[in-house]
Amino acid sequence: MIDLTGLDTRPAQTWGALRLVPLVRREPIEDLRLHAKVYGDEASLVYLPDKTVYTAYVPHAFVASWSDDGTPAAAYGTQLGRPLEHMCIRARRRMARRTEKGRLRFLPLHLAVEGFLALHFGGPVIAWEEWSRQALAHGLSARAEDAYIGAEVRGLEDALKVFEIYPGQCGLLLYAGDALASAFVVPHPEDYRALHPTLVRDMYGELIYDYALFYPVRDFPAVIDESRVSSLDDLRAEAVRAERDWAGFHDSVMAADLLRAPAQVEQVYRLGRFTLSRFLPAFERKSENHIGETITDADGRLAYLKTFRLSEAQVRRGHLLSTLAGHGWSLPAAAATLRISAAALGLRLERAGFGHLLRQDVLDGYRKALSERSRRTRRDGAPSPPA
């Protein structure tokens, strides 16, 4: 599970539809530090070890610096400059790459998104008759997903400008319309102050973009019991109680789905006593599903966290692929688990953008079968079940 032990929730600040919840670290992590390396606005091609290529807008990388003996790591300065005025394509080697001893360059969020795109990327492992030659030869290639840059999310840039950074702050949970958009945690308060502006150039999901347009939020007022206040000490104690109540509500209700154990965790790189990992959710329909990446120490203490909330359409695609892979890519077996017909599953795959994986004659047969079934149902006067 994602464990926020050592990080305390502070009162939220709101701006339009956005709610920003700061996380303060009781004891900063000194032997791991992060800084940003800005790339600009050019597109990036990342060549991966399995000989596939990941293409995306990558505005910056994070560089992790660590020491092997527990002594404080050197913090290199973050440089946030103007983006390049011309367009070009930059090629990079791997999502996470060691640049020198004690330093690792990785692409924040893209590491997690590439893991989502790679989900069952190889396609059918058994040559069932329904699958096309392309699916059997090339799997899901090419696979693409959409995201919004933070500057396109209404109010985010202004919210980050006026946001009050707390003493000791090492993280932030960002909500749009009180739907959790992303989580960001770093090892040290100085790292957070340097990386706070990078949030406006991060990736965010479709749900968050929409919620920021239409769902303004209200502050949670702190209620002070006047009967308990007869001195400044009493007032201070009531303020602490209100802050503690808010933190408890936030952690147990608003952030509860994020903190559930990820379904799949993949270790990416060892950084001394720390481990960089990425994770995928269980792709549960009608619920929050986050992908992301973490850096944890040997005891599981969270040093770094960055997450991306999937849209319902993305969850649907992940659910379909996981169900198929769990049944050896057998359409009848997967359809039985979903309690639908193989024809209905075939059309679900088409609507999800995976129609090219099926042979055209098979797909046409599925359409014909469902159309005939619908006509028979209408003649009998009973409603047809959803596909």
Side-chain angles (χ1 to χ4, degrees), residues 20-324:
L20 296 83
V21 179
L23 299 175
V24 173
R25 205 181 277 284
R26 300 169 200 167
E27 296 182 7
I29 297 174
E30 300 286 355
D31 55 341
L32 175 72
R33 300 295 300 274
L34 292 178
H35 75 276
K37 181 177 181 181
V38 176
Y39 290 142
D41 285 341
E42 70 272 23
S44 291
L45 298 178
V46 184
Y47 295 94
L48 304 174
D50 60 0
K51 298 184 179 180
T52 59
V53 179
Y54 174 88
T55 306
Y57 166 61
V58 182
H60 53 261
F62 283 174
V63 179
S65 306
W66 72 93
S67 63
D68 293 322
D69 56 3
T71 57
Y76 294 82
T78 295
Q79 297 178 352
L80 298 176
R82 293 179 58 84
L84 298 178
E85 297 296 336
H86 61 282
M87 287 297 296
C88 61
I89 296 178
R90 185 186 295 265
R92 311 188 192 285
R93 293 174 54 191
R94 302 191 177 188
M95 287 288 174
R97 182 167 176 261
R98 188 164 180 165
T99 57
E100 59 184 83
K101 184 178 180 180
R103 298 186 71 190
L104 178 78
R105 188 269 299 148
F106 64 97
L107 305 182
L109 273 188
H110 295 276
L111 182 66
V113 171
E114 188 270 322
F116 175 55
L117 291 174
L119 180 68
H120 309 303
F121 186 76
V125 294
I126 299 176
W128 301 105
E129 64 179 359
E130 297 90 349
W131 303 113
S132 66
R133 290 184 179 180
Q134 179 183 350
L136 296 173
H138 304 290
L140 275 63
S141 182
R143 175 112 194 270
E145 294 288 350
D146 295 330
Y148 290 88
I149 186 173
E152 297 177 293
V153 177
R154 183 176 182 179
L156 180 58
E157 187 170 6
D158 290 335
L160 293 173
K161 286 179 180 178
V162 302
F163 183 85
E164 178 187 354
I165 297 180
Y166 277 72
Q169 183 172 344
C170 290
L172 174 77
L173 297 182
L174 174 63
Y175 295 82
D178 279 337
L180 181 57
S182 70
F184 180 46
V185 174
V186 296
H188 198 279
E190 293 179 5
D191 298 343
Y192 183 83
R193 286 185 174 274
L195 298 176
H196 177 81
T198 66
L199 293 171
V200 78
R201 304 183 76 188
D202 274 343
M203 293 186 292
Y204 298 92
E206 178 185 8
L207 180 80
I208 307 309
Y209 175 83
D210 291 341
Y211 279 19
L213 289 174
F214 303 115
Y215 297 97
V217 297
R218 296 182 299 175
D219 283 327
F220 288 110
V223 178
I224 300 295
D225 187 349
E226 296 181 4
S227 64
R228 296 185 177 183
V229 178
S230 58
S231 65
L232 287 177
D233 289 340
D234 293 340
L235 181 61
R236 186 177 296 108
E238 281 296 294
V240 170
R241 180 192 59 78
E243 185 174 306
R244 186 170 58 247
D245 290 346
W246 151 252
F249 167 76
H250 171 268
D251 297 349
S252 62
V253 177
M254 297 185 68
D257 288 337
L258 172 68
L259 303 182
R260 290 183 304 176
Q264 302 177 47
V265 178
E266 177 189 357
Q267 293 189 1
V268 177
Y269 203 91
R270 292 296 301 272
L271 305 82
R273 71 184 187 95
F274 300 96
T275 303
L276 172 64
S277 305
R278 63 185 179 187
F279 62 85
L280 293 173
F283 299 107
E284 296 179 3
R285 301 291 303 278
K286 307 300 181 182
S287 64
E288 283 187 27
N289 287 265
H290 299 265
I291 61 174
E293 53 216 28
T294 64
I295 296 179
T296 55
D297 66 10
D299 298 324
R301 182 188 181 191
L302 187 68
Y304 163 77
L305 171 68
K306 206 164 186 63
T307 67
F308 177 94
R309 180 167 177 170
L310 299 176
S311 69
E312 185 59 32
Q314 290 168 330
V315 173
R316 190 182 307 117
R317 287 191 281 274
H319 180 68
L320 285 172
L321 292 175
S322 297
T323 302
L324 282 169

